[in-house]
Amino acid sequence: MTLTVAQGSATGQGTPVAARANQVWKVYGSGEAQVVALREVSVELQRGAFTAIMGPSGSGKSTLMHCLAGLDSVTRGDVHIGQTKVTGMKDKALTKLRRDQVGFIFQQFNLLPTLTAEENITLPLSIAGRKPDKAWFDTVIDTVGLRDRLKHRPTQLSGGQQQRVACARALVARPEVIFADEPTGNLDSKSGAEVLSFLRNSVREFGQTIVMVTHDPVAASYADRVIFLADGSIVSELYEPTADTVLDTMKRLDTGA
Amino acid sequence: MLRATLKSVLSRKLRLVLSGLAVVLGVMFVSGAFVLTDTLGRSFDGLFATAFQNTDVTVSVKSTGPAQGFDDDQKLTATVKPETLEKVRGIDGVAKATGIVSADGARVIGSNGKVITSFGPPRLGENWTGENDLVKLREGRAPQSGTEVVMNAGLAKSAGVKVGDQVGVLTTQPKKTFTLVGITEYSGGRDSLGGSMVVSFHESVAAELMLGTPNVYSSVDVKAAAGKTPEQVRDSVRAALGDSFEVKTGAELQKAQTAGAKEALGFFNKILLGFAGVALFVGTFLILNTFSIIVAQRTRELALMRAIGASRKQMIGSVLVEAVLIGLFASAVGLGLGIGVGSLLAWVFGNVGSASLELAGIGVPPAAIISAFSVGMIITLVAALLPAMRASRIPPVAALQEAATPDRPLTKVTVVGSLVTAGGATLLLLGLNDKLGDSSLYGFFGGVLLAFIGIALLTPMLARPIVGVIGRLMAWSVPGKLGRLNSARNPRRTAITAAALMVGIALITGVNTVFTSAEASIQKIADKEVNADLIISGDPSDERPATFDPAVIDKTKAISGVTGFSADYFDVAHALGEDRSVTIMTDVPAYAKMFKLTAKEGEIRALGPDEVLYDEERAKEKGLHVGATIEVQLARGQPRQMKLVGIYAKSSTTGGLILPTTLIGELQVAQPSWGYVDVADGVSVDGVRKQVDALLADSPEVTVANRNDFVQQQTSAFDTVLLMVQILLALAVLIAVLGIINTLALSVLERTRELGLLRAIGLGRFQSMRMITVEAIVISVFGALLGVVVGSGLGAAIVRALKDDGFSTFAMPWTAMGTYLALGAGIGVIAAILPALRAARVNVLQAISYE
Ligand SMILES: Nc1ncnc2c1ncn2[C@@H]1O[C@H](COP(=O)(O)OP(=O)(O)OP(=O)(O)O)[C@@H](O)[C@H]1O
Ligand SMILES: [Mg+2]
């Protein structure tokens, strides 16, 4: 029933792991209203890889991501980020973990309207009381192509630009993992493509680890690996996906289920 | 529509509770004041009804001479001669006539050596005329000689004395010691009637001690013969005695006394209502802000309603109905609390200290109910009207747009604000400078109100730069910076919240500035014009001037090292066609030396009999020059012609007629009130002070102090008044705090997503609390800063206007202003607690996944 994807896969072996879920259960509510959002999910996310999570609505993609990121607690099992065991951490430690080791890109409302793009980008570092590495900052800014927009406020930026700012913010702190929940869900295909290629580049060029939840087979094709969820369980995975292979898998799962 | 409104009211309980609370507090104050004064008023009715229950008719002499008193209550009673008493006894219908001696000013020295003070009720000295239905001996016996007294139980308790004790009493004569032989009570076993203090002397000395002349009476108490009504007896006595007598029935006296007491209560009520008004005014800001925020947050919802066909009228209606519901509910709760507070205060009044006013049942006068509801409703509706109109102007398309409303430009408010401020300031200045005739006082208050509104309208414009500066002082950390940015985010909201705090702080600062300037002015006079090394004086807040034993004068002069001494006797005399205050100085040259009194015309010298001095200003006004004749009549004397021998230059320490020492005997109270000691150079002032102090052992109403201590004593009353004002205005500040809490709570709610995002990217719980706290502090310090600035402006205007009334110096209460600013910061911290906790509890997951 359970598919432990990482084990036995050719590319996975020997690669250091950036985040890992081990037999994770997530149950909401109790009694009749009980919903099992994740059932005994185990997954390892290789460092320096771009992983996409796909699945039908309600399959537990967001839940899995939240559990991996330490935003939500698991009902059973445990989660590690790098060498750190996340499960059981107190709020203070979790906050520090998020601040230092995790980056987030949400579907929308990623930015504080009171801060400029630049201030938004360096916000996690400022909160942690760290100075951004100038060279790295410049690299990131140039990669996202926002240099002439740094002094602008979010309301003065387009949706695509805002998402790029969010990406830059996640990258600048050089976290262990970046989690992105449908980062292109609100964007048109052109802006979406920009953001996605930017994410892929940061994996290729800077060795960043990224986990992305998406519904879009095209978006998933930018990833190195796609994990398919259904009903709270991992049901399939693909390496080096293309939009077509993703679509095929989805169809297959759809009819198979 | 109504159903939708009701639902939305219930779904926003917290903010409604907070804004309703402002109305509740204001209404509580208003109705509490009415309940208090009503209850006290009816208690006085009962009190005077008891006091005059045994009086059929009273005869006293109409005063013809000078008003003879420091104010109405202390008029020296014109006396009734024994012949009159005899005559009354012979009138048909009079069953019994008793000569009564009763006058205020019998000051008992308690077992602690201090004079027993009363706060309001008189300290009567009377002749003992035996027990009656009202007064009974509870213990001991009646006084049988001039050295024995009885007193009422309330007074005996306050003084801590019992039957058999030796008790010192100050009367028109210096301290005399008596044996306390009896203690009286009033019908029903009461210790006192309304807190009044009564010492009863033996017939043989009462008149001399209390009225200054032996063998006279202040009034005659007449009992009607059987079958005669008091009115009939009054008429026949009046007919027999003629016009120079005042003949009144007990009922008439009761009515007059009650009216007097109620007038005082009415004044008291007005003061309380004034403070309630301030609180309500501040509350208006809070409600206005709440409704504005609610409307802003509901923009989409309201636009949707418009889109599906609700009319503009219905939109206004929906907001106003919400306001009416809050207003009604808050008024009712406020009224309930007000009845509680009013009753509690009435109880305190009746029972604290020596006062023992038998309280009539607590009543709720119609005025309390009417004012509670009308004030509560009007305030809420007025405050909700603007937001309601704004709601009606939301276009239906707003439902489809991004919720972010662009900042409306501030030009219009700023222009209107400037105009209103200017209008208010003009009105205020006109009122202050008495340019508006009888309505000057109203002009002044109206001006202050308008100015506050105008400044409140200007605050959004001021908010950006000032909040930026204040925020920068605090923004040394990321949470601080975020808090600062948040506070500048919605200048209108920040401004209204801060303006509410401004009102309270401005009033406190204004009053403080006035008092500080008064203190500085007194200090300046003391520094510049007072050369006396030691000053004998009483408590300046006492109603009647303190006096001391004249024997002290010569004894002080005899102390080695004393080079000059003068004592002042004060009274009111009839002179130049009016009642005027007069002074007798025991040593004019010594006084002139110590107070730099110089002659403008004639000479300043020791006065011979029938010689007077006058001040420059008044002499000029009357066109008087040296050599002129002035007619002066003192309390106990006949009119006499006096010669003006000197006109002295304007002085801050004395004024009016200065009379010769030969007239001391004609004064109402032949005892000095002030003394000034000049000590030789090189002699220890403190050594002399100790010796004078010893001489004053039997004059407990006064103390001797060096110049600095004297200034302190004179200004100590200011501190008390200031404290009271601060306590009363604290309510306005409290409401402003509610406003800050409200604004922050709403902001936290609005920014839940942002808080979630911040927490997701690593902002700690404590840091998010800090962010909210900084926002609160920035708002409250902004408000306090505005208040301090506006308040000192207000104070400066008042001090300037009163320049000719002794406010020679303008001084700012710097320390207090600093304290108010610090208080502002403290208020911010306190107001932030709840919203910050709420922010800290924001669930990251829920926050980021909520749309
Ligand atoms: N707080 C919650 N309480 C109860 N049930 C929840 C909660 N959050 C999620 N669920 C349930 O858990 C299951 C998984 O939800 P999840 O949000 O992870 O789905 P998803 O795959 O991200 O779907 P979508 O593609 O629509 O975003 C769903 O059945 C959902 O109803
Ligand atoms: Mg999801």
Side-chain angles (χ1 to χ4, degrees):
Chain A
M1 173 79 214
T2 313
L3 194 71
T4 313
V5 183
Q7 279 168 13
S9 71
T11 45
Q13 228 130 51
T15 316
V17 175
R20 171 159 58 96
N22 186 25
Q23 309 211 334
V24 164
W25 286 74
K26 178 71 193 178
V27 183
Y28 289 110
S30 58
E32 283 192 10
Q34 203 176 54
V35 178
V36 182
L38 296 176
R39 42 184 100 229
E40 217 177 325
V41 172
S42 297
V43 63
E44 286 188 347
L45 302 169
Q46 290 80 8
R47 177 163 295 145
F50 188 177
T51 309
I53 303 178
M54 295 200 76
S57 188
S59 56
K61 305 181 293 292
S62 296
T63 307
L64 175 60
M65 203 193 87
H66 292 155
C67 289
L68 282 169
L71 281 176
D72 207 351
S73 60
V74 301
T75 312
R76 231 181 299 152
D78 52 56
V79 170
H80 284 78
I81 288 182
Q83 302 300 317
T84 324
K85 186 175 170 194
V86 176
T87 315
M89 270 188 172
K90 289 269 185 299
D91 180 74
K92 218 171 175 165
L94 278 174
T95 303
K96 195 167 154 32
L97 175 96
R98 287 201 298 268
R99 180 196 290 165
D100 299 335
Q101 313 220 28
V102 181
F104 286 101
I105 304 165
F106 300 108
Q107 187 173 352
Q108 52 183 346
F109 298 125
N110 264 305
L111 308 176
L112 285 199
T114 45
L115 301 181
T116 62
E118 177 170 8
E119 287 167 329
N120 263 298
I121 291 170
T122 52
L123 188 58
L125 292 173
S126 315
I127 291 174
R130 286 192 273 144
K131 281 257 163 299
D133 171 349
K134 183 75 178 116
W136 176 239
F137 178 80
D138 283 340
T139 314
V140 171
I141 295 306
D142 289 335
T143 320
V144 278
L146 280 170
R147 185 157 295 282
D148 53 341
R149 297 288 163 148
L150 285 181
K151 295 292 171 225
H152 290 209
R153 286 184 197 279
T155 45
Q156 299 164 321
L157 297 174
S158 73
Q161 286 167 336
Q162 288 183 29
Q163 283 311 72
R164 272 149 58 194
V165 173
C167 295
R169 180 190 66 208
L171 269 175
V172 150
R174 295 187 157 167
E176 184 77 26
V177 201
I178 292 175
F179 292 99
D181 197 348
E182 304 186 39
T184 56
N186 267 12
L187 301 181
D188 63 41
S189 55
K190 185 168 165 278
S191 316
E194 271 170 29
V195 169
L196 286 165
S197 37
F198 167 68
L199 288 178
R200 187 174 55 192
N201 287 345
S202 55
V203 172
R204 297 279 147 78
E205 290 168 28
F206 315 130
Q208 181 64 54
T209 310
I210 297 179
V211 181
M212 171 178 78
V213 170
T214 183
H215 280 285
D216 177 6
V218 179
S221 69
Y222 283 79
D224 301 319
R225 170 190 181 197
V226 186
I227 295 171
F228 292 90
L229 277 182
D231 243 353
S233 301
I234 296 176
V235 288
S236 180
E237 69 169 325
L238 270 179
Y239 283 90
E240 308 301 335
T242 64
D244 290 337
T245 54
V246 172
L247 209 55
D248 284 347
T249 314
M250 283 167 75
K251 276 187 190 142
R252 183 168 51 83
L253 291 172
D254 232 15
T255 49
Chain B
M1 198 73 192
L2 187 64
R3 262 181 76 98
T5 307
L6 275 174
K7 271 203 163 146
S8 82
V9 170
L10 290 176
S11 66
R12 289 187 302 275
K13 279 185 285 280
L14 175 77
R15 67 192 82 166
L16 294 179
V17 163
L18 282 171
S19 54
L21 209 53
V23 183
V24 166
L25 289 175
V27 168
M28 177 186 86
F29 214 135
V30 171
S31 48
F34 277 112
V35 169
L36 172 64
T37 46
D38 175 74
T39 306
L40 290 181
R42 280 179 301 108
S43 308
F44 280 122
D45 281 343
L47 171 69
F48 291 120
T50 319
F52 292 106
Q53 71 185 13
N54 289 320
T55 309
D56 286 342
V57 171
T58 297
V59 180
S60 58
V61 176
K62 273 186 195 159
S63 80
T64 46
Q68 297 173 338
F70 301 97
D71 65 46
D72 279 354
D73 294 339
Q74 288 152 359
K75 261 185 199 164
L76 177 70
T77 332
T79 53
V80 179
K81 301 246 157 36
E83 303 90 82
T84 314
L85 177 58
E86 283 312 315
K87 199 169 166 188
V88 172
R89 282 183 177 147
I91 296 171
D92 186 39
V94 172
K96 192 179 159 203
T98 318
I100 303 286
V101 172
S102 178
D104 191 12
R107 289 145 291 158
V108 172
I109 299 165
S111 56
N112 60 358
K114 296 229 166 73
V115 171
I116 308 303
T117 48
S118 85
F119 301 96
R123 291 176 284 185
L124 298 172
E126 303 190 336
N127 58 340
W128 177 254
T129 56
E131 293 180 293
N132 55 37
D133 287 349
L134 183 62
V135 185
K136 293 255 174 327
L137 278 167
R138 176 185 289 179
E139 251 182 84
R141 56 169 173 81
Q144 282 162 3
S145 76
T147 60
E148 295 179 346
V149 291
V150 298
M151 58 176 75
N152 65 319
L155 174 55
K157 273 182 194 161
S158 311
V161 293
K162 52 187 192 311
V163 170
D165 284 356
Q166 296 294 303
V167 183
V169 184
L170 305 172
T171 55
T172 62
Q173 296 184 9
K175 177 184 166 185
K176 280 204 155 53
T177 306
F178 300 87
T179 311
L180 181 65
V181 295
I183 287 175
T184 60
E185 64 177 26
Y186 294 89
S187 57
R190 284 173 284 180
D191 285 352
S192 150
L193 277 188
S196 64
M197 304 177 166
V198 181
V199 183
S200 299
F201 300 97
H202 187 254
E203 183 78 48
S204 60
V205 295
E208 172 148 31
L209 290 174
M210 295 314 304
L211 305 175
T213 323
N215 212 14
V216 293
Y217 303 102
S218 34
S219 62
V220 176
D221 183 61
V222 179
K223 281 269 162 305
K228 294 267 184 184
T229 65
E231 286 72 25
Q232 288 167 331
V233 176
R234 174 194 64 193
D235 294 342
S236 44
V237 172
R238 203 177 267 169
L241 293 181
D243 258 1
S244 56
F245 289 88
E246 194 112 71
V247 187
K248 284 189 168 153
T249 63
E252 284 169 342
L253 283 171
Q254 178 194 334
K255 219 164 137 191
Q257 294 266 16
T258 311
K262 288 208 169 147
E263 199 179 300
L265 277 179
F267 181 67
F268 180 59
N269 195 17
K270 276 195 189 127
I271 293 182
L272 288 183
L273 289 179
F275 283 101
V278 173
L280 283 165
F281 181 57
V282 173
T284 312
F285 285 77
L286 172 48
I287 301 164
L288 178 72
N289 211 17
T290 307
F291 277 101
S292 302
I293 297 175
I294 289 175
V295 167
Q297 288 179 341
R298 283 168 66 199
T299 301
R300 272 193 172 183
E301 184 190 327
L302 291 169
L304 189 66
M305 281 164 98
R306 287 277 278 144
I308 61 174
S311 71
R312 285 183 66 158
K313 243 195 190 145
Q314 279 174 310
M315 303 309 305
I316 295 184
S318 114
V319 177
L320 288 189
V321 165
E322 195 164 328
V324 168
L325 288 175
I326 297 176
L328 272 180
F329 184 67
S331 302
V333 176
L335 176 63
L337 289 176
I339 294 171
V341 169
S343 320
L344 184 75
L345 285 178
W347 182 86
V348 169
F349 265 80
N351 292 285
V352 162
S354 58
S356 61
L357 183 61
E358 202 166 313
L359 286 184
I362 301 300
V364 184
I369 299 172
I370 296 168
S371 58
F373 281 97
S374 49
V375 157
M377 296 299 297
I378 290 173
I379 294 282
T380 328
L381 281 177
V382 164
L385 199 63
L386 270 178
M389 313 243 286
R390 200 172 306 143
S392 77
R393 280 200 296 268
I394 295 172
V397 293
L400 315 168
Q401 290 167 343
E402 201 44 42
T405 35
D407 264 354
R408 283 166 294 137
L410 299 172
T411 346
K412 212 164 106 193
V413 241
T414 307
V415 171
V416 174
S418 313
L419 290 177
V420 175
T421 310
T426 314
L427 198 58
L428 185 156
L429 289 175
L430 285 179
L432 264 183
N433 295 309
D434 256 336
K435 294 271 158 55
L436 302 175
D438 286 345
S439 37
S440 284
L441 193 64
Y442 295 105
F444 170 67
F445 285 123
V448 172
L449 188 74
L450 266 187
F452 277 141
I453 295 176
I455 293 165
L457 289 172
L458 286 177
T459 36
M461 193 263 295
L462 297 171
R464 251 190 241 278
I466 299 181
V467 160
V469 172
I470 298 172
R472 247 164 267 265
L473 295 177
M474 270 175 266
W476 62 82
S477 65
V478 177
K481 183 181 170 191
L482 292 172
R484 163 173 75 86
L485 290 172
N486 282 340
S487 59
R489 207 152 153 178
N490 192 330
R492 279 166 205 268
R493 197 183 292 183
T494 301
I496 298 184
T497 313
L501 184 61
M502 166 197 76
V503 174
I505 303 254
L507 290 175
I508 294 177
T509 309
V511 173
N512 204 333
T513 306
V514 172
F515 280 112
T516 308
S517 300
E519 253 178 73
S521 304
I522 291 176
Q523 182 73 54
K524 195 170 140 198
I525 292 170
D527 289 345
K528 269 175 57 182
E529 298 187 33
V530 180
N531 272 349
D533 295 298
L534 293 170
I535 293 157
I536 300 173
S537 67
D539 182 351
S541 60
D542 236 0
E543 274 183 58
R544 37 178 321 123
T547 55
F548 60 94
D549 188 345
V552 172
I553 299 175
D554 285 338
K555 289 182 189 158
T556 304
K557 282 183 184 163
I559 296 172
S560 82
V562 172
T563 52
F565 182 86
S566 181
D568 281 351
Y569 291 73
F570 297 114
D571 207 342
V572 174
H574 201 70
L576 294 163
E578 265 180 74
D579 288 343
R580 296 170 184 278
S581 52
V582 294
T583 311
I584 294 179
M585 296 174 176
T586 57
D587 190 337
V588 175
Y591 183 92
K593 177 168 173 272
M594 283 186 274
F595 291 90
K596 301 183 180 161
L597 203 62
T598 55
K600 187 85 184 167
E601 217 183 300
E603 278 183 277
I604 305 295
R605 56 166 168 81
L607 297 170
D610 296 332
E611 290 183 339
V612 294
L613 301 174
Y614 210 12
D615 67 271
E616 180 188 354
E617 204 177 337
R618 293 187 183 84
K620 198 170 158 197
E621 195 181 295
K622 288 274 167 194
L624 295 171
H625 291 281
V626 165
T629 304
I630 300 175
E631 188 183 85
V632 178
Q633 185 190 6
L634 283 166
R636 284 178 216 294
Q638 296 303 314
R640 62 173 79 230
Q641 306 303 315
M642 307 195 75
K643 198 176 134 212
L644 184 58
V645 296
I647 293 174
Y648 54 91
K650 190 174 177 334
S651 152
S652 312
T653 51
T654 190
L657 286 167
I658 298 175
L659 305 179
T661 49
T662 47
L663 295 183
I664 289 175
E666 291 184 13
L667 298 175
Q668 186 185 169
V669 176
Q671 293 180 68
S673 296
W674 295 69
Y676 314 101
V677 187
D678 196 4
V679 178
D681 291 347
V683 175
S684 152
V685 171
D686 202 49
V688 175
R689 191 191 59 79
K690 284 192 183 115
Q691 294 181 60
V692 177
D693 201 39
L695 295 177
L696 291 172
D698 280 342
S699 302
E701 281 193 306
V702 295
T703 52
V704 56
N706 64 30
R707 212 165 50 193
N708 283 335
D709 292 348
F710 168 73
V711 172
Q712 289 272 303
Q713 281 173 11
Q714 292 301 302
T715 54
S716 66
F718 296 167
D719 299 340
T720 317
V721 176
L722 193 59
L723 186 70
M724 301 270 288
V725 171
Q726 285 174 342
I727 289 174
L728 285 167
L729 285 174
L731 185 73
V733 174
L734 177 72
I735 291 181
V737 174
L738 289 180
I740 300 174
I741 297 178
N742 202 15
T743 300
L744 288 175
L746 293 170
S747 302
V748 168
L749 217 67
E750 263 181 358
R751 300 181 200 141
T752 308
R753 259 207 85 92
E754 256 175 74
L755 282 162
L757 172 71
L758 280 165
R759 297 275 287 124
I761 63 171
L763 195 73
R765 275 215 169 116
F766 187 70
Q767 285 176 308
S768 41
M769 290 177 73
R770 197 141 122 218
M771 179 174 82
I772 304 292
T773 308
V774 167
E775 184 176 351
I777 294 177
V778 168
I779 296 177
S780 59
V781 169
F782 175 46
L785 188 70
L786 280 177
V788 164
V789 171
V790 172
S792 23
L794 183 66
I798 297 175
V799 169
R800 246 199 95 82
L802 297 180
K803 206 171 167 189
D804 294 333
D805 299 307
F807 281 82
S808 54
T809 314
F810 175 65
M812 301 273 265
W814 292 113
T815 335
M817 284 160 72
T819 313
Y820 299 151
L821 281 181
L823 192 79
I827 282 173
V829 174
I830 292 169
I833 293 176
L834 284 176
L837 283 176
R838 211 182 160 127
R841 274 204 300 268
V842 160
N843 178 310
V844 186
L845 260 189
Q846 274 168 17
I848 57 176
S849 44
Y850 126 114
E851 294 288 317

